[in-house]
């Protein structure tokens, strides 16, 4: 019998019915985007021109390639790390340890891919395999999530997540029952969060760039910008890998289908949508407009990195000279809330930077199609939803101090708008 815990967290995502719908809707949306990007009309709204048969989705070669990719990233995860960090304190007062070697994995992957290309690795053939690769990634996510659900049946109560233990199997399968599922020191959630999906995203982008070079003689300026912007984003995430240990994904959410599918399937195959679109729908882009787009991305990155760095520095050492002069609000838990600097501008300045960068990633694709802007639309909805979850948790945790912070900083993400 599954262990029980105290009062359960309120159900999210529409409860069991919403979770069941998302189990179908998320993979369907991903495949719709993959099909739309390669179609002539490239319609975001409306059904695809034709549906692929099973022969277009299932490929033993794609399965072997996918398993090799996961195996490679797992092997890189196990290499000696430049640093081992401790996570947040758990219910049983313990702290888990995490290897900080994500950027190392990115560099080693790049070296291996470069060696492979010099030996004749046909990276440009990868775009033709996106559908079967996405299919096996989705299949992997379902099987892996079932394993995680079964593993959580024997997990101690202290190891369970606050929200994924409603008693409804569909909801708990989707949200995830166990907070930090591990085998020995291999942490499944931490591994999936930044490794196979994010690094796979930039590899798919590179393959699309190589394919465009084969077809057109050289990559377009638009394709270079999309690759460069998104490589910067992924490199930044992996360089500052330790910061993820304080995020909601790690500290609060269980590891179930929602995160497993999102990490290993949704991220690489939908976040590369702009590059997919450009391969099949080349867009002219002049230097003046490219310069404006670069400026927009630089502004977004400046806000994103500045806000995150300020928060992480303050969490590590409030006496650090870089943050010691910032105004704070004391809470009943003994922690302090920043109410000046980036975090005095809006409550989630990092989200604002994220959205500005998302716009810059889409602009190289022109304005003739809505499809390349799916990421911006989706990410806006995601961050608004995440911000609402943050608000509820912070209000519960900090009480009157959080109410005072909201009074002092009324705007959530966008100054004077939201």
């Amino acid at each position: 019998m599954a262990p029980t815990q105290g009062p359960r967290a309120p159900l999210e995502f529409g409860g069991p019915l919403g979770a069941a719908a998302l189990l179908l809707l998320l993979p369907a949306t991903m495949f719709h985007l993959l099909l739309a990007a390669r179609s002539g009309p490239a319609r975001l709204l409306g059904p695809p021109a034709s549906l692929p048969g099973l022969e277009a989705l299932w490929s033993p070669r794609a399965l072997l390639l996918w398993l090799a990719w996961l195996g490679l990233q797992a092997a890189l995860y196990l290499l000696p790390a430049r640093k081992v960090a401790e996570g947040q304190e758990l219910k049983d007062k313990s702290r888990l340890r995490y290897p900080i070697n994500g950027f190392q994995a990115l560099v080693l992957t790049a070296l291996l891919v470069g060696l492979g290309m010099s030996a004749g690795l046909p990276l440009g053939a990868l775009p033709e395999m996106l559908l079967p690769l996405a299919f096996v990634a989705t299949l992997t996510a379902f099987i892996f999530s079932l394993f995680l659900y079964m593993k959580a049946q024997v997990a101690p109560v202290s190891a369970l997540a606050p929200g994924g233990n409603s008693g409804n199997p569909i909801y708990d399968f989707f949200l995830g029952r166990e907070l930090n599922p591990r085998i020995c020191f291999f942490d499944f959630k931490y591994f999936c969060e930044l490794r196979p999906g994010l690094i796979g995203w930039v590899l798919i982008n590179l393959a699309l760039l190589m394919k465009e070079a084969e077809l057109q003689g050289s990559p377009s300026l638009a394709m270079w910008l999309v690759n460069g912007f998104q490589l910067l984003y992924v490199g930044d995430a992996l360089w500052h890998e330790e910061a993820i240990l304080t995020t909601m994904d790690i500290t609060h959410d269980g590891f179930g289908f929602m995160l497993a599918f999102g990490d290993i399937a949704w991220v690489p195959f939908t976040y590369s949508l702009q590059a997919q679109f450009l391969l099949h729908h080349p867009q002219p882009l002049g230097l003046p407009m490219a310069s404006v787009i670069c400026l927009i991305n630089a502004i977004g990155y400046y806000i994103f990195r500045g806000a995150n760095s300020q928060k992480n520095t303050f969490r590590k050492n409030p006496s650090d000279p870089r943050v010691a002069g910032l105004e704070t609000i004391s809470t009943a838990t003994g922690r302090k809330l920043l109410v000046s600097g980036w975090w005095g501008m809006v409550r989630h300045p990092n989200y604002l930077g994220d959205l500005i960068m998302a716009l810059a990633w889409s602009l190289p694709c022109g304005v003739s199609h809505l499809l390349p802007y799916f990421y911006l639309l989706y990410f806006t909805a995601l961050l608004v939803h995440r911000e609402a979850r943050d608000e509820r948790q912070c209000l519960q945790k900090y009480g009157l101090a959080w109410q005072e912070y909201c009074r002092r900083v009324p705007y959530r993400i966008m100054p004077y708008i939201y």
Side-chain angles (χ1 to χ4, degrees), residues 54-342:
L54 183 60
E55 68 280 357
L57 294 175
W58 174 250
S59 165
R61 183 184 174 198
L63 176 61
L64 289 174
L65 183 60
W66 176 248
L67 293 177
W69 175 252
L70 292 179
L72 170 64
Q73 294 307 316
L76 295 177
Y77 174 93
L78 295 173
L79 289 177
R82 60 186 171 97
K83 180 180 180 182
V84 176
E86 287 190 338
Q88 299 292 293
E89 186 176 279
L90 302 176
K91 293 177 185 177
D92 61 2
K93 306 302 180 183
S94 67
R95 291 177 183 267
L96 298 176
R97 293 169 64 81
Y98 299 87
I100 307 300
N101 59 1
F103 192 81
Q104 174 182 323
L106 175 65
V107 172
L108 290 174
T109 300
L111 290 174
L112 290 172
V113 170
L115 289 173
M117 291 174 63
S118 66
L121 178 71
L123 191 60
L126 190 61
E128 298 303 318
M129 299 180 65
L130 289 184
L131 273 178
L133 283 170
F135 183 77
V136 296
T138 302
L139 188 62
T140 302
F142 273 103
I143 295 173
F144 186 37
S145 300
L146 180 61
F147 162 75
L148 293 169
Y149 181 80
M150 298 304 295
K151 181 180 180 299
Q153 302 300 314
V154 295
V157 173
S158 61
L160 300 181
N165 292 278
S166 68
N168 182 282
I170 295 177
Y171 181 82
D172 295 343
F173 172 85
F174 176 77
L175 211 62
R177 298 197 66 223
E178 195 172 354
L179 184 62
N180 302 292
R182 289 185 163 208
I183 291 181
C184 296
F185 54 84
F186 193 99
D187 190 294
F188 292 117
K189 182 166 66 171
Y190 178 70
F191 166 73
C192 289
E193 191 78 11
L194 291 180
R195 312 301 181 94
L198 280 187
I199 301 176
W201 170 19
V202 296
L203 180 62
I204 290 173
N205 275 355
L206 176 61
L208 292 161
L209 183 147
M210 298 297 295
K211 185 64 176 179
E212 187 183 62
E214 291 177 17
L215 296 175
Q216 300 186 17
S218 63
S220 65
L221 179 56
M223 182 68 85
W224 276 118
L225 288 188
V226 168
N227 267 257
F229 292 162
Q230 295 180 352
L231 176 61
L232 171 65
Y233 187 80
V234 171
D236 177 271
L238 293 168
W239 181 258
H240 297 96
E241 183 180 21
E242 186 177 352
I244 200 175
L245 300 180
T246 60
T247 62
M248 182 187 297
D249 286 359
I250 298 295
T251 64
H252 180 269
D253 291 336
F255 193 39
F257 182 83
M258 179 182 72
L259 286 180
F261 175 79
D263 290 342
I264 65 178
W266 182 267
V267 167
F269 296 106
T270 66
Y271 284 21
S272 59
L273 186 63
Q274 288 95 353
Q276 294 178 48
F277 174 83
L278 288 172
L279 176 64
H280 300 284
H281 305 84
Q283 300 292 314
L285 182 64
L287 281 176
M289 186 59 190
S291 300
V292 172
I293 295 173
C294 287
L295 178 61
I296 293 172
N297 191 75
I299 292 171
Y301 180 74
Y302 177 72
I303 296 172
F304 172 81
R305 177 44 41 215
N308 278 326
S309 294
Q310 190 175 80
K311 175 183 66 177
N312 294 330
T313 300
F314 182 77
R315 281 178 173 173
K316 287 181 180 178
N317 180 16
S319 301
D320 190 296
R322 292 171 291 179
V323 295
L326 296 178
E327 190 177 353
T328 62
I329 297 175
S330 298
T331 71
T333 65
R335 298 184 63 177
K336 293 184 178 181
L337 302 176
L338 282 174
V339 73
S340 63
W342 287 110

